[in-house]
Amino acid sequence: MNEATPLLERLTGLRERVARLVEHRSADDPTAGDPMRGLYLPEEAIWRLLSLPPATPDTVDAAYATHAVHAGREADGADGSDGADGSNAAGASHTAGPVGAVDRLQRLAQRLRLSELDTGILLIALAPDLDRTFEALYGYLNDDVSRRRATTGLALDLSGVPAHAAVGRARFHASAPLVTLGLLVVEEPERPFLSRALRVPERVVAHLLGDDTTEAALDGTVRPLPDAGTRALSAAGSDGLVPLLAARLAAGPCTVYLREHREGDGLSCATAALGAAGIGALHLTPGAGDRPQGERPHGDHTPRQDIPYAEVLREARLSGRAVVVTSLPERPQELIRALSASDVTVLLAGTRPYDPHWCDTGAPGGEPLVLDAPRQRAGNLEAWTAALGGSPEAGGGTEPGFDLTPVVAAYRLGHEGISRAARAALDLAAFDGTPLSAAHVRLAARQQSASGLEQHSRRIRPDVTWDDLVLPEKPLAQLHELAVRSRNRERVLGDWRLSAGGGRGRGVLGLFAGGSGTGKTLSAEVVAAELGLDLYVVQLSSIVDKYVGETEKNLERIFTEADRTDAVLLFDEADAVFGKRSEVKDAHDRYANMESAYLLQRLESFDGIALLTTNLRGNIDEAFTRRLDLVIDFPFPDQPQRLALWRHSLVHVPCVDDIDPSACARDFELAGGSIRSAVVTAAYAAAGRGEPVTNADLLAGAQREYRKAGRLVLDDVDW
């Protein structure tokens, strides 16, 4: 059989349906036999259309039910599908349209404060999109069978307004409510005024028929802002600004600029306030640009050139929602001017201070209300619990099977970030086929902290625990204290108001001082693992620049990214950057001191977690030391600690039964890093022979580390 045969058979069935429809419509059509039918409309045809009963839910259902009988039979014979079901579904949709349209039209008119004349004109222009008979009727009244839409003159006639009345003609002006609100389009401006066609945009028609799908032109630019929910708002609502802003938003449309300390603060505040006020919102990111997110460096807020701001405002008006704008372009004047409207609430969020020149004098939306957005709280336990399904509203009803408080304490994610992280954590747990665990939550939360730190640092995904540290009690206790400070800084410095003021941040700064190989970097990795954060090791070669001012710029980029990222920042060999200031004897000393002065000021406002390591504590400027929360000294290990380090390094290594590293620990004064290197050397030697590690292998490894350090090695050690 030819491959085209099934398609031709379907066309045969369609032809039969068309024939039945022609027969049905021509049964009482006085122009059915007229050879000029379709080229003009005689008066008897118009009266016939006017004599037809109006389209009501009952008549529509009946018509579709009658057609469904024939369509269903044809569909059963053609492809075996249930045509009657499809027709009935279409009929139900068509039925729901007019009923919903009347209610929605009234609500829209009330919300936008349209006059009775404007509402009537909108309905006149809308009629051909809802009932086909109005096409013929309008063609007859327009004295042109091809002009099947209402014209300005026809709308005035049907409204009972004289064509020469200024009040009527003003309804179609470019500044008239229907036009400026995007509800009506006056087409064909080259025609005389009374013959210009009126069209209602498809999105408005769809909304009036009950379809709330966002316009396709806004895809990728605007999306609904998720509702924060009651439980998720409780922590945010504890800040005095949120309830005050919610009350202002509930009072009526306004324009607000939220100044952010950290990117995301404004969106979190806006989400909380809108949720408390019971107002939905659309989220617009004009600075996201045309390129995919991965192809744009962070901080690139080049505005998109194709954002239909008029459609954004129309979408907000149709749904009665506000517009929240983040990622503002470098020059937001055009954006603010385009979104300025007295009937739509617009909330703008940005890190830059507000500039009065951004707003035109006398703009419809007026001067914005400028507020400082409260900082996002770390460890918003109630928001996390709700997002993970700990409340019936979230679709769950069970608390996580582990203590969530220490797991999420270090994450400064807003409501949207928490929602994404929670969904990702649940997906990871489902993928693993296991109950949700702390590891799932931490991995998902780290994925939300994408940053540009990789440009100047090396990321380490921590894979160590406290068991991997062999340290004396004092530095170990201080490391635990460092983790406690990192988890509770919001409560102590924020809620208990123990921040020193003066614009100081809520960061945690620690200095690890000790000889090479004493465990400083490993300790930083353990702290990051305890907090569930990634560790970023700053590469000094990528930030130190010979040109004046460039080093400070590179450092500023790092601190800015660290402020907006949940991560631990590690400055290894920090004395290269945080060294002591010297007496100014030449220009080099002056500029070196400027770098130190910049770092001192920047550490004051830092909000993240930064760790510094140095082999020589005395090289660090005392001014830096004063700003540190903890200074932890890593002593050189004594013999018992060296033995513990040897044994810890051999835990996963196959060894002979009589292995005993006691002699190596006694005779070779090596730090932890050197001991590990010695064990690696011994393991390679044993692997090459295909045998377990022996005492001789350990001795050879220890001797090699001694030689590397330039120390004397006796070849005839008595074992």
Side-chain angles (χ1 to χ4, degrees):
M1 181 177 64
N2 193 311
E3 294 183 357
T5 301
L7 182 59
L8 296 177
E9 290 178 353
R10 290 180 181 271
L11 291 178
T12 302
L14 177 60
R15 187 176 291 104
E16 294 176 359
R17 292 187 189 184
V18 172
R20 285 197 297 269
L21 186 58
V22 170
E23 180 182 1
H24 173 72
R25 289 193 177 183
S26 62
D28 58 349
D29 187 354
T31 65
D34 192 336
M36 303 294 290
R37 184 179 186 277
L39 298 179
Y40 75 104
L41 291 169
E43 186 174 351
E44 57 268 23
I46 294 301
W47 283 111
R48 170 185 169 273
L49 293 175
L50 291 174
S51 65
L52 294 175
T56 64
D58 294 335
T59 58
V60 172
D61 279 342
Y64 271 82
T66 301
H67 179 66
V69 174
H70 300 287
R73 292 171 183 168
E74 182 62 38
D76 290 339
D79 55 8
S81 63
D82 190 355
D85 287 346
S87 299
N88 283 330
S93 175
H94 191 55
T95 302
V99 175
V102 174
D103 292 339
R104 288 203 167 202
L105 180 58
Q106 292 176 350
R107 291 197 296 269
L108 185 65
Q110 292 173 357
R111 186 166 62 246
L112 300 183
R113 299 179 181 178
L114 298 178
S115 65
E116 292 186 9
L117 178 57
D118 286 329
T119 306
I121 292 175
L122 182 60
L123 182 60
I124 292 169
L126 182 69
D129 294 299
L130 302 181
D131 191 337
R132 289 186 57 189
T133 60
F134 280 92
E135 294 187 52
L137 296 173
Y138 284 180
Y140 180 82
L141 294 174
N142 286 326
D143 199 22
D144 187 343
V145 70
S146 64
R147 299 184 63 76
R148 294 172 172 258
R149 288 193 175 275
T151 59
T152 53
L154 177 57
L156 292 175
D157 290 341
L158 292 175
S159 302
V161 178
H164 61 272
V167 64
R169 299 173 73 96
R171 298 298 90 193
F172 308 102
H173 192 271
S175 60
L178 288 177
V179 179
T180 56
L181 296 177
L183 304 179
L184 184 69
V185 178
V186 181
E187 299 180 324
E188 303 170 308
E190 72 281 358
R191 283 181 170 269
F193 177 80
L194 296 178
S195 62
R196 295 173 184 173
L198 303 179
R199 178 177 59 83
V200 179
E202 287 295 327
R203 178 65 192 99
V204 179
V205 177
H207 170 76
L208 294 175
L209 292 175
D211 184 359
D212 289 325
T213 305
T214 305
E215 191 168 2
L218 301 180
D219 289 348
T221 304
V222 172
R223 57 186 177 83
L225 188 67
D227 185 10
T230 306
R231 293 187 64 188
L233 284 173
S234 59
S238 62
D239 189 283
L241 177 66
V242 172
L244 291 176
L245 180 57
R248 176 61 189 89
L249 297 177
C254 60
T255 302
V256 181
Y257 179 73
L258 296 169
R259 169 79 185 281
E260 300 175 311
H261 177 81
R262 178 176 184 254
E263 189 173 338
D265 292 345
L267 179 60
S268 180
C269 176
T271 302
L274 289 167
I279 301 175
L282 299 172
H283 186 196
L284 171 65
T285 53
D290 311 87
R291 292 175 287 170
Q293 185 67 26
E295 298 180 9
R296 296 176 62 87
H298 174 69
D300 182 3
H301 295 323
T302 305
R304 289 186 55 169
Q305 302 299 323
D306 58 344
I307 296 180
Y309 292 113
E311 282 78 358
V312 173
L313 287 176
R314 184 176 65 196
E315 190 67 35
R317 293 183 177 110
L318 292 177
S319 56
R321 289 181 284 190
V323 178
V324 177
V325 187
T326 60
S327 299
L328 297 180
E330 292 297 329
R331 299 180 58 83
Q333 290 90 330
E334 179 183 352
L335 178 146
I336 296 176
R337 187 184 306 112
L339 292 179
S340 180
S342 59
D343 61 322
V344 176
T345 293
V346 179
L347 294 97
L348 308 159
T351 56
R352 286 176 292 166
Y354 173 74
D355 186 348
H357 294 93
W358 289 352
C359 235
D360 293 337
T361 305
E367 286 283 337
L369 176 64
V370 181
L371 303 171
D372 288 327
R375 304 187 189 202
Q376 297 179 72
R377 293 184 58 86
N380 191 340
L381 184 60
E382 294 189 355
W384 276 100
T385 303
L388 289 171
S391 65
E393 303 95 283
T398 60
E399 300 287 339
F402 53 90
D403 187 3
L404 192 61
T405 303
V407 175
V408 302
Y411 301 120
R412 298 173 294 169
L413 299 176
H415 166 71
E416 188 176 10
I418 291 175
S419 299
R420 288 198 303 263
R423 289 194 298 269
L426 294 171
D427 290 342
L428 288 170
F431 178 78
D432 291 340
T434 61
L436 182 70
S437 66
H440 293 134
V441 175
R442 284 177 166 173
L443 177 58
R446 287 202 303 266
Q447 292 171 349
Q448 304 304 315
S449 294
S451 72
L453 282 172
E454 290 85 352
Q455 297 180 11
H456 298 289
S457 59
R458 174 173 53 91
R459 184 176 69 173
I460 297 177
R461 286 286 175 89
D463 191 23
V464 292
T465 65
W466 293 105
D467 296 335
D468 294 305
L469 284 180
V470 180
L471 291 173
E473 292 185 4
K474 182 177 180 180
L476 195 59
Q478 289 179 307
L479 289 174
H480 281 284
E481 180 186 347
L482 185 64
V484 170
R485 282 175 174 260
S486 301
R487 286 198 183 100
N488 296 283
R489 52 191 164 137
E490 290 288 347
R491 179 185 303 177
V492 174
L493 299 179
D495 298 343
W496 296 352
R497 304 180 65 84
L498 287 179
S499 177
R504 287 177 171 82
R506 299 175 185 176
V508 175
L509 306 175
L511 174 65
F512 296 171
S516 177
T518 52
K520 301 185 295 299
T521 303
L522 179 62
S523 297
E525 188 174 349
V526 170
V527 170
E530 172 68 13
L531 298 174
L533 303 176
D534 288 336
L535 178 68
Y536 285 88
V537 182
V538 177
Q539 298 174 346
L540 298 180
S541 61
S542 66
I543 62 174
V544 177
D545 198 296
K546 65 179 181 179
Y547 294 104
V548 175
E550 291 301 316
T551 300
E552 289 89 335
K553 291 180 181 178
N554 293 333
L555 286 168
E556 177 61 27
R557 295 188 188 100
I558 290 176
F559 280 114
T560 300
E561 289 293 339
D563 271 335
R564 62 177 292 271
T565 304
D566 290 325
V568 176
L569 197 62
L570 176 63
F571 288 89
D572 206 4
E573 306 295 340
D575 41 347
V577 179
F578 296 85
K580 287 185 176 181
R581 288 168 290 183
S582 60
E583 181 183 354
V584 178
K585 296 181 179 179
D586 55 24
H588 297 88
D589 294 334
R590 176 171 175 267
Y591 289 122
N593 289 344
M594 287 176 58
E595 292 179 7
S596 299
Y598 160 77
L599 284 170
L600 289 170
Q601 295 174 358
R602 191 60 180 86
L603 289 176
E604 293 279 0
S605 60
F606 185 55
D607 265 345
I609 304 171
L611 303 177
L612 290 66
T613 69
T614 179
N615 295 342
L616 297 172
R617 177 177 171 180
N619 288 346
I620 302 296
D621 195 299
E622 293 181 0
F624 289 115
T625 306
R626 184 182 64 80
R627 288 165 171 79
L628 299 172
D629 295 291
L630 283 172
V631 177
I632 304 177
D633 290 313
F634 288 75
F636 193 88
D638 55 16
Q639 181 177 337
Q641 290 176 356
R642 292 198 298 270
L643 179 58
L645 287 167
W646 277 101
R647 288 174 174 169
H648 184 273
S649 300
L650 291 169
V651 167
H652 301 290
V653 179
C655 301
V656 296
D657 294 337
D658 61 344
I659 194 75
D660 184 10
S662 300
C664 290
R666 182 190 66 240
D667 298 331
F668 295 93
E669 295 181 355
L670 297 174
S674 298
I675 291 175
R676 179 187 175 278
S677 298
V679 171
V680 170
T681 299
Y684 273 120
R689 299 192 310 268
E691 298 175 355
V693 173
T694 64
N695 289 324
D697 294 327
L698 296 183
L699 174 61
Q703 289 175 337
R704 178 170 297 183
E705 291 304 312
Y706 247 40
R707 292 191 182 97
K708 284 168 55 178
R711 303 176 69 176
L712 178 64
V713 177
L714 299 178
D715 294 332
D716 53 345
V717 177
D718 186 9
W719 284 83

PDB file of all heavy atoms in Angstrom, residues 263-283:
ATOM      1  N   GLU A 263      23.343  40.823  46.588  1.00  0.00           N
ATOM      2  CA  GLU A 263      22.441  40.490  45.503  1.00  0.00           C
ATOM      3  C   GLU A 263      21.483  39.388  45.943  1.00  0.00           C
ATOM      4  O   GLU A 263      21.888  38.339  46.434  1.00  0.00           O
ATOM      5  CB  GLU A 263      23.233  40.028  44.277  1.00  0.00           C
ATOM      6  CG  GLU A 263      22.374  39.859  43.043  1.00  0.00           C
ATOM      7  CD  GLU A 263      23.201  39.579  41.806  1.00  0.00           C
ATOM      8  OE1 GLU A 263      24.402  39.929  41.806  1.00  0.00           O
ATOM      9  OE2 GLU A 263      22.654  39.027  40.851  1.00  0.00           O
ATOM     10  N   GLY A 264      20.191  39.639  45.764  1.00  0.00           N
ATOM     11  CA  GLY A 264      19.162  38.703  46.194  1.00  0.00           C
ATOM     12  C   GLY A 264      18.382  39.192  47.397  1.00  0.00           C
ATOM     13  O   GLY A 264      17.278  38.702  47.664  1.00  0.00           O
ATOM     14  N   ASP A 265      18.941  40.174  48.138  1.00  0.00           N
ATOM     15  CA  ASP A 265      18.219  40.714  49.295  1.00  0.00           C
ATOM     16  C   ASP A 265      16.894  41.335  48.879  1.00  0.00           C
ATOM     17  O   ASP A 265      15.865  41.144  49.536  1.00  0.00           O
ATOM     18  CB  ASP A 265      19.068  41.772  50.010  1.00  0.00           C
ATOM     19  CG  ASP A 265      20.292  41.174  50.688  1.00  0.00           C
ATOM     20  OD1 ASP A 265      20.323  39.949  50.841  1.00  0.00           O
ATOM     21  OD2 ASP A 265      21.206  41.941  51.047  1.00  0.00           O
ATOM     22  N   GLY A 266      16.911  42.094  47.784  1.00  0.00           N
ATOM     23  CA  GLY A 266      15.700  42.779  47.344  1.00  0.00           C
ATOM     24  C   GLY A 266      14.621  41.810  46.904  1.00  0.00           C
ATOM     25  O   GLY A 266      13.439  41.990  47.223  1.00  0.00           O
ATOM     26  N   LEU A 267      15.007  40.778  46.154  1.00  0.00           N
ATOM     27  CA  LEU A 267      14.022  39.792  45.704  1.00  0.00           C
ATOM     28  C   LEU A 267      13.413  39.060  46.886  1.00  0.00           C
ATOM     29  O   LEU A 267      12.198  38.813  46.926  1.00  0.00           O
ATOM     30  CB  LEU A 267      14.687  38.802  44.749  1.00  0.00           C
ATOM     31  CG  LEU A 267      13.781  37.695  44.199  1.00  0.00           C
ATOM     32  CD1 LEU A 267      12.623  38.282  43.420  1.00  0.00           C
ATOM     33  CD2 LEU A 267      14.578  36.737  43.327  1.00  0.00           C
ATOM     34  N   SER A 268      14.231  38.717  47.872  1.00  0.00           N
ATOM     35  CA  SER A 268      13.715  38.039  49.056  1.00  0.00           C
ATOM     36  C   SER A 268      12.746  38.927  49.820  1.00  0.00           C
ATOM     37  O   SER A 268      11.676  38.480  50.252  1.00  0.00           O
ATOM     38  CB  SER A 268      14.881  37.626  49.962  1.00  0.00           C
ATOM     39  OG  SER A 268      14.417  36.969  51.106  1.00  0.00           O
ATOM     40  N   CYS A 269      13.086  40.196  49.973  1.00  0.00           N
ATOM     41  CA  CYS A 269      12.206  41.138  50.679  1.00  0.00           C
ATOM     42  C   CYS A 269      10.910  41.350  49.908  1.00  0.00           C
ATOM     43  O   CYS A 269       9.818  41.355  50.493  1.00  0.00           O
ATOM     44  CB  CYS A 269      12.932  42.461  50.895  1.00  0.00           C
ATOM     45  SG  CYS A 269      11.943  43.761  51.638  1.00  0.00           S
ATOM     46  N   ALA A 270      11.004  41.515  48.592  1.00  0.00           N
ATOM     47  CA  ALA A 270       9.817  41.729  47.780  1.00  0.00           C
ATOM     48  C   ALA A 270       8.893  40.512  47.823  1.00  0.00           C
ATOM     49  O   ALA A 270       7.666  40.646  47.936  1.00  0.00           O
ATOM     50  CB  ALA A 270      10.220  42.033  46.337  1.00  0.00           C
ATOM     51  N   THR A 271       9.472  39.319  47.751  1.00  0.00           N
ATOM     52  CA  THR A 271       8.667  38.103  47.808  1.00  0.00           C
ATOM     53  C   THR A 271       7.926  38.000  49.136  1.00  0.00           C
ATOM     54  O   THR A 271       6.743  37.653  49.180  1.00  0.00           O
ATOM     55  CB  THR A 271       9.569  36.867  47.612  1.00  0.00           C
ATOM     56  OG1 THR A 271      10.254  36.975  46.367  1.00  0.00           O
ATOM     57  CG2 THR A 271       8.753  35.592  47.616  1.00  0.00           C
ATOM     58  N   ALA A 272       8.631  38.315  50.222  1.00  0.00           N
ATOM     59  CA  ALA A 272       8.004  38.237  51.539  1.00  0.00           C
ATOM     60  C   ALA A 272       6.878  39.260  51.681  1.00  0.00           C
ATOM     61  O   ALA A 272       5.785  38.940  52.161  1.00  0.00           O
ATOM     62  CB  ALA A 272       9.055  38.445  52.623  1.00  0.00           C
ATOM     63  N   ALA A 273       7.134  40.492  51.263  1.00  0.00           N
ATOM     64  CA  ALA A 273       6.118  41.541  51.409  1.00  0.00           C
ATOM     65  C   ALA A 273       4.904  41.272  50.525  1.00  0.00           C
ATOM     66  O   ALA A 273       3.757  41.454  50.950  1.00  0.00           O
ATOM     67  CB  ALA A 273       6.730  42.899  51.086  1.00  0.00           C
ATOM     68  N   LEU A 274       5.136  40.855  49.288  1.00  0.00           N
ATOM     69  CA  LEU A 274       4.021  40.558  48.394  1.00  0.00           C
ATOM     70  C   LEU A 274       3.201  39.383  48.918  1.00  0.00           C
ATOM     71  O   LEU A 274       1.968  39.375  48.826  1.00  0.00           O
ATOM     72  CB  LEU A 274       4.543  40.257  46.991  1.00  0.00           C
ATOM     73  CG  LEU A 274       5.092  41.452  46.214  1.00  0.00           C
ATOM     74  CD1 LEU A 274       5.875  40.979  44.988  1.00  0.00           C
ATOM     75  CD2 LEU A 274       3.966  42.381  45.780  1.00  0.00           C
ATOM     76  N   GLY A 275       3.896  38.368  49.453  1.00  0.00           N
ATOM     77  CA  GLY A 275       3.172  37.240  50.018  1.00  0.00           C
ATOM     78  C   GLY A 275       2.330  37.648  51.211  1.00  0.00           C
ATOM     79  O   GLY A 275       1.195  37.193  51.372  1.00  0.00           O
ATOM     80  N   ALA A 276       2.873  38.520  52.068  1.00  0.00           N
ATOM     81  CA  ALA A 276       2.117  38.981  53.227  1.00  0.00           C
ATOM     82  C   ALA A 276       0.922  39.836  52.811  1.00  0.00           C
ATOM     83  O   ALA A 276      -0.116  39.828  53.473  1.00  0.00           O
ATOM     84  CB  ALA A 276       3.030  39.765  54.164  1.00  0.00           C
ATOM     85  N   ALA A 277       1.055  40.565  51.699  1.00  0.00           N
ATOM     86  CA  ALA A 277      -0.039  41.404  51.207  1.00  0.00           C
ATOM     87  C   ALA A 277      -1.026  40.630  50.347  1.00  0.00           C
ATOM     88  O   ALA A 277      -2.068  41.176  49.959  1.00  0.00           O
ATOM     89  CB  ALA A 277       0.525  42.584  50.415  1.00  0.00           C
ATOM     90  N   GLY A 278      -0.694  39.371  50.020  1.00  0.00           N
ATOM     91  CA  GLY A 278      -1.593  38.568  49.194  1.00  0.00           C
ATOM     92  C   GLY A 278      -1.619  39.009  47.746  1.00  0.00           C
ATOM     93  O   GLY A 278      -2.649  38.897  47.074  1.00  0.00           O
ATOM     94  N   ILE A 279      -0.502  39.489  47.234  1.00  0.00           N
ATOM     95  CA  ILE A 279      -0.421  39.994  45.862  1.00  0.00           C
ATOM     96  C   ILE A 279       0.532  39.111  45.072  1.00  0.00           C
ATOM     97  O   ILE A 279       1.648  38.833  45.517  1.00  0.00           O
ATOM     98  CB  ILE A 279       0.076  41.456  45.838  1.00  0.00           C
ATOM     99  CG1 ILE A 279      -0.862  42.354  46.642  1.00  0.00           C
ATOM    100  CG2 ILE A 279       0.197  41.957  44.404  1.00  0.00           C
ATOM    101  CD1 ILE A 279      -0.370  43.783  46.774  1.00  0.00           C
ATOM    102  N   GLY A 280       0.093  38.658  43.910  1.00  0.00           N
ATOM    103  CA  GLY A 280       0.974  37.915  43.027  1.00  0.00           C
ATOM    104  C   GLY A 280       1.903  38.853  42.278  1.00  0.00           C
ATOM    105  O   GLY A 280       1.723  40.075  42.280  1.00  0.00           O
ATOM    106  N   ALA A 281       2.915  38.293  41.621  1.00  0.00           N
ATOM    107  CA  ALA A 281       3.899  39.147  40.944  1.00  0.00           C
ATOM    108  C   ALA A 281       4.504  38.423  39.761  1.00  0.00           C
ATOM    109  O   ALA A 281       4.539  37.189  39.699  1.00  0.00           O
ATOM    110  CB  ALA A 281       4.999  39.588  41.919  1.00  0.00           C
ATOM    111  N   LEU A 282       4.983  39.229  38.822  1.00  0.00           N
ATOM    112  CA  LEU A 282       5.771  38.759  37.691  1.00  0.00           C
ATOM    113  C   LEU A 282       7.217  39.169  37.919  1.00  0.00           C
ATOM    114  O   LEU A 282       7.492  40.304  38.316  1.00  0.00           O
ATOM    115  CB  LEU A 282       5.253  39.368  36.379  1.00  0.00           C
ATOM    116  CG  LEU A 282       3.809  39.052  36.002  1.00  0.00           C
ATOM    117  CD1 LEU A 282       3.395  39.885  34.794  1.00  0.00           C
ATOM    118  CD2 LEU A 282       3.639  37.582  35.704  1.00  0.00           C
ATOM    119  N   HIS A 283       8.143  38.255  37.662  1.00  0.00           N
ATOM    120  CA  HIS A 283       9.569  38.520  37.881  1.00  0.00           C
ATOM    121  C   HIS A 283      10.227  38.806  36.544  1.00  0.00           C
ATOM    122  O   HIS A 283      10.251  37.963  35.653  1.00  0.00           O
ATOM    123  CB  HIS A 283      10.220  37.309  38.553  1.00  0.00           C
ATOM    124  CG  HIS A 283      11.640  37.554  38.937  1.00  0.00           C
ATOM    125  ND1 HIS A 283      12.518  36.547  39.258  1.00  0.00           N
ATOM    126  CD2 HIS A 283      12.361  38.706  39.059  1.00  0.00           C
ATOM    127  CE1 HIS A 283      13.691  37.054  39.562  1.00  0.00           C
ATOM    128  NE2 HIS A 283      13.618  38.364  39.441  1.00  0.00           N
TER     129      HIS A 283
END
